DNA sequence: GGCCTGATGTCAGTTCCTGACATGAACCTT
DNA sequence: AAGGTTCATGTCAGGAACTGACATCAGGCC
């Protein structure tokens, strides 16, 4: 057995989500989170750059799956086809996580600082997606527009999925949103 | 003459932009900004909710013009037509502000916290736009998708405009981006 | 003249976050 | 097995962001 309890990072994430759920983000101090995880405040900041980041881990299965799907997507001249493949991978990630996603979303939605962090994380994903498209030969501004559109589709479908108590398949919702986007932009 | 110098808020905004340009956002304290404006730190926080907000005033001509255009846009069944009208108003706002926009953009781009704030402000604009479309009878998810697409078009065109030393007309760039968006989504 | 208003100042305190240094079990080397 | 190294964690001190409570005082109002 190691000197320290294993998975300090995971314990901090769990402690944080539990405390934020109970009392809200602002009403919880970093020292409390660390204490609940059997650690000190200073150690918290060795694992996370700031208090909010504990809810948005850099290395998480969503981002990993996203990057992998983006890399492995077949080459095609149609940027939205690549976007669609990546969105499928994202949908797969959320499979079986509806309850957890809702609890987490409640915490984030209740706090402006956390909504801000979520917003920039989505922007970062859009930028990754645009970069991936450029590497596949898609020119600007098509690459950025396709990437931003993809994130918009995700946002809309994800919000719909979260709102449903008996959720339909996120992949289906995304494909519907993608079709709706085509209608909206194409008809204008 | 009043007891205090007029336009405390404006003086704080000017002092902040000047100092941030000289030394960067992180290297400037709120006390310094206030001092340069002939005020105290506490007064700064009476005008702005936090340090970043001094660069993103709530009541500014961009938001005002945006809201006005959204309200006055003619009714139409085509959401992207409404979006287009609003984008024209936004383009008009930036007329003659190329140099200022570039200086300001340099400050924001250099700092993660400021990029975060900018990101959430754009999300808020998208939400306003979606709400405006809903009020005009556009159903979900079309309203949200049209709004997010509009913001994506703005982002792309604005970035292009900022990058040009001899800037073309932002309205033209936006219309081109809108056409490119149609191509990208429609062809998929 | 006296009272009220409202922007500002003063002050104390909490929390976030960081740098510098200390600790000690696990591991490696010889 | 002795001794040195590694590295996650602890301890401590401090700066800066932000907030609540109360004081000040010019200008307007009765």
């Amino acid at each position: 057995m190691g000197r320290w309890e294993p998975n300090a990072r995971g314990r901090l994430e769990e402690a944080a989500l539990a405390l934020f759920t109970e009392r809200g983000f602002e009403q919880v101090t970093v020292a409390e989170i660390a204490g609940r995880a059997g650690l000190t405040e200073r150690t918290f900041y060795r694992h996370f750059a700031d208090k909010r980041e504990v809810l948005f881990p850099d290395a998480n299965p969503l981002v990993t799956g996203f990057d992998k799907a983006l890399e492995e997507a077949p080459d095609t001249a149609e940027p939205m086809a690549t976007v669609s493949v990546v969105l499928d991978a994202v949908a797969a990630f959320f499979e079986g996580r509806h309850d957890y996603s809702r609890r987490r979303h409640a915490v984030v939605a209740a706090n402006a600082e956390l909504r801000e962090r979520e917003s920039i994380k989505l922007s970062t994903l859009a930028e990754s997606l645009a970069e991936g498209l450029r590497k596949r030969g898609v020119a600007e501004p098509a690459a950025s527009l396709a990437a931003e559109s993809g994130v918009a589709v995700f946002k809309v479908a994800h919000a719909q999925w979260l709102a449903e108590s008996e959720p339909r398949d996120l992949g289906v919702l995304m494909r519907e949103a993608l079709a709706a986007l085509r209608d909206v932009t194409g008809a204008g």
Side-chain angles (χ1 to χ4, degrees), chain A residues 2 25 29 32 45 50 59 62 64 98 100 103 116 121 124 144 149 169:
Chain A
F25 180 77
T29 68
E32 283 176 303
Y45 284 109
D50 61 44
L62 172 57
T64 309
H98 192 254
Y100 172 80
R103 277 196 295 126
E116 214 174 333
K121 294 283 176 179
T124 304
S144 288
S149 298
D169 183 75

Side-chain angles (χ1 to χ4, degrees), chain A residues 84-108:
Chain A
S84 189
V85 167
V86 173
L87 287 182
D88 280 343
V90 170
F93 165 80
F94 283 99
E95 200 105 358
R97 299 188 186 228
H98 192 254
D99 281 355
Y100 172 80
S101 295
R102 280 186 119 177
R103 277 196 295 126
R104 189 197 146 79
H105 176 74
V107 170
V108 174

Side-chain angles (χ1 to χ4, degrees), chain A residues 9 13 55-66 93 121:
Chain A
R9 193 186 175 88
E13 289 175 13
L55 285 175
F56 303 89
D58 269 341
N60 70 67
L62 172 57
V63 172
T64 309
F66 176 94
F93 165 80
K121 294 283 176 179

Side-chain angles (χ1 to χ4, degrees), chain A residues 120-185:
Chain A
I120 194 74
K121 294 283 176 179
L122 282 174
S123 285
T124 304
L125 274 191
E127 185 42 50
S128 295
L129 187 46
E131 177 62 20
L133 291 172
R134 268 179 247 124
K135 276 196 185 137
R136 289 159 177 281
V138 179
E140 286 295 358
S144 288
L145 289 167
E148 295 278 349
S149 298
V151 170
V153 164
F154 166 75
K155 273 193 201 176
V156 164
H158 182 68
Q160 211 171 332
W161 182 73
L162 281 178
E164 296 177 348
S165 51
E166 287 296 326
R168 293 153 66 205
D169 183 75
L170 180 55
V172 171
L173 292 170
M174 288 206 204
R175 278 186 283 279
E176 288 179 8
L178 198 53
L181 174 68
R182 240 193 308 270
D183 284 353
V184 166
T185 57

